[in-house]
Amino acid sequence: MTYNNLEISTEDKIGLITINRPKALNALNKETIEELSNAFGELESNEDIRVIILTGSGEKAFVAGADIKEFKDFDGKQGQQLAQVGQTILFNKIENLKKPVIAAVNGYALGGGLELAMSCHFRIASDNALLGLPEVTLGLIPGYGGTQRLPKLIGKGRAMQAIMTAEMFKAEKAEQIGLVNEVVALEELLPRAKKIASKIAFNSPVAISKAIEVINLSDSDKGFEAEINAFGELFDAEDFKEGTTAFLDKRKPNF
Ligand code: CAA
C-alpha cells in the first residue's frame, strides 16, 4: 500500500510508522487518519512484524492535533461524526491491536496527537516533548478518547486540571505523572524505542497478544475472569510448550 502522509519501514520484526506532514506539524486530517488505520491493519496482519513503533517526522512534533483547518466549518453533526469515525477506525483499533504499539513522542503531542499517543500501549518521549489537551482553547473538548484515557493514566483530578487549563506537560513532568514511561534525548528516541521493541519481539507473541487483551479489561468488571480464561488458553498454545521446554533445556526460547 502507498501512503501520502505516512512512511512505513520494517526491520527485525519491528514496524515503524512515521506520520509525515511536517508543514502542518503532522496534524491529523481525514486522509492521515484513514492511512494510519490502514497501516496498522497492514502491519497487524504482517507475520514478520511483532511490534509497531509510531512517531512523527521532524524534530518539532509528534502530532499537533486534529487538523483544525479541516474541521473549522463543521456543524454539530459533522463534529460528532469526526469523533465517532476517528475513535472507531483508529484510536480504539490501536488500543485493541493484537500487536504492541509504542508511541515515540518526538515533540508536540497536542489534542488528537496526545490522544493518539495515549491509545498506544505505552509511550516514551524525547526531552523536547510537550504534551497536552488544549481543545478548550478552541471551544471544544477532546474527541478522540482524551477525556477517557487521560484520567486512567494520570488520575481524574490531574486530568480535570489538565483539560480545563489546557496546560502542556513538559516531558519530565509527563514521566513523573505516568503519562510517558521514559524520557530520552531526541537522538536516542528511536534507538531506545527499537531496543524496547526488540526485547518484546523476543517474547511469545501469543502471550503478549493475550496480555494486551486482558490488561485492556483492567477497568471493567470482566478483567479477572478474562485473565483466568486467557491464562488457561495459553496452556494449549505452542508457545507455552516452547517456552517451558526451552527453560528446562537451559536455552533461549524460539517463538
Ligand atoms: N491543525 C492544522 N494545522 C496545524 C495544527 C493543527 N492542529 N497545528 C499546527 N498547524 C500548522 C499551523 O497552522 C502552521 O501552518 P501554516 O504555516 O500554514 O500557518 C504550521 O502547522 C506550523 O504551526 P505554527 O506556526 O503554529 O507553529 P508554532 O511553533 O508557532 O506553534 C503549536 C506550534 C504550539 C503546536 C501550534 O501550532 C498550535 O497550538 N497548534 C494547535 C494545537 C491544538 O490546538 N491542537 C488541538 C487540535 S483540536 C483536536 O485535536 C480535537 C480532537 O481532540 C479530536
Side-chain angles (χ1 to χ4, degrees):
M1 231 180 269
T2 55
Y3 299 101
N4 292 327
N5 308 297
L6 307 179
E7 283 170 8
I8 314 278
S9 63
T10 57
E11 195 186 356
D12 296 336
K13 299 182 178 171
I14 301 168
L16 174 65
I17 302 177
T18 307
I19 302 168
N20 189 27
R21 293 187 76 212
K23 284 187 185 148
L25 301 185
N26 302 322
L28 299 174
N29 60 355
K30 184 170 184 277
E31 186 181 50
T32 307
I33 298 260
E34 287 168 359
E35 289 190 353
L36 279 167
S37 177
N38 291 334
F40 276 104
E42 190 181 329
L43 291 175
E44 187 177 37
S45 53
N46 181 338
E47 286 182 6
D48 295 333
I49 296 301
R50 296 263 176 105
V51 186
I52 300 165
I53 298 170
L54 176 64
T55 195
S57 68
E59 302 191 345
K60 196 169 167 183
F62 172 72
V63 168
D67 192 314
I68 299 168
K69 289 171 191 162
E70 203 176 60
F71 68 61
K72 70 178 177 33
D73 296 321
F74 277 13
D75 62 18
K77 199 167 172 216
Q78 289 170 300
Q80 187 180 7
Q81 200 188 9
L82 180 84
Q84 174 89 59
V85 172
Q87 289 194 18
T88 306
I89 71 166
L90 184 59
F91 294 74
N92 296 349
K93 177 174 181 166
I94 295 174
E95 185 166 57
N96 295 306
L97 215 75
K98 294 191 186 326
K99 295 178 181 175
V101 183
I102 306 171
V105 179
N106 58 310
Y108 288 115
L110 300 177
L114 176 54
E115 293 174 293
L116 186 63
M118 289 194 294
S119 67
C120 297
H121 298 122
F122 60 90
R123 294 141 290 285
I124 64 169
S126 56
D127 50 13
N128 68 330
L130 284 164
L131 306 94
L133 295 176
E135 283 86 347
V136 294
T137 66
L138 300 168
L140 291 175
I141 61 166
Y144 287 147
T147 62
Q148 303 306 300
R149 292 193 178 97
L150 190 65
K152 284 176 192 151
L153 285 167
I154 69 172
K156 189 172 168 185
R158 276 206 177 99
M160 284 277 188
Q161 184 177 342
I163 289 172
M164 289 176 193
T165 60
E167 76 189 289
M168 287 188 211
F169 296 116
K170 289 184 178 166
E172 207 178 301
K173 178 75 179 175
E175 184 185 12
Q176 260 174 37
I177 61 177
L179 189 51
V180 304
N181 289 3
E182 285 183 32
V183 178
V184 295
L186 182 59
E187 61 276 16
E188 282 305 311
L189 184 66
L190 280 185
R192 178 63 187 147
K194 286 179 183 171
K195 198 165 177 197
I196 299 169
S198 306
K199 206 166 176 187
I200 296 171
F202 175 79
N203 293 326
S204 159
V206 182
I208 285 167
S209 174
K210 282 284 174 208
I212 293 170
E213 197 181 309
V214 177
I215 293 168
N216 278 344
L217 289 170
S218 62
D219 295 315
S220 85
D221 56 7
K222 299 192 178 77
F224 286 102
E225 195 189 338
E227 182 184 282
I228 293 167
N229 292 336
F231 185 73
E233 283 168 34
L234 287 169
F235 280 80
D236 291 329
E238 282 295 312
D239 279 6
F240 169 67
K241 296 192 178 49
E242 170 59 12
T244 47
T245 306
F247 175 78
L248 295 171
D249 291 351
K250 300 191 186 306
R251 63 171 172 83
K252 289 191 169 165
N254 182 16
F255 293 118

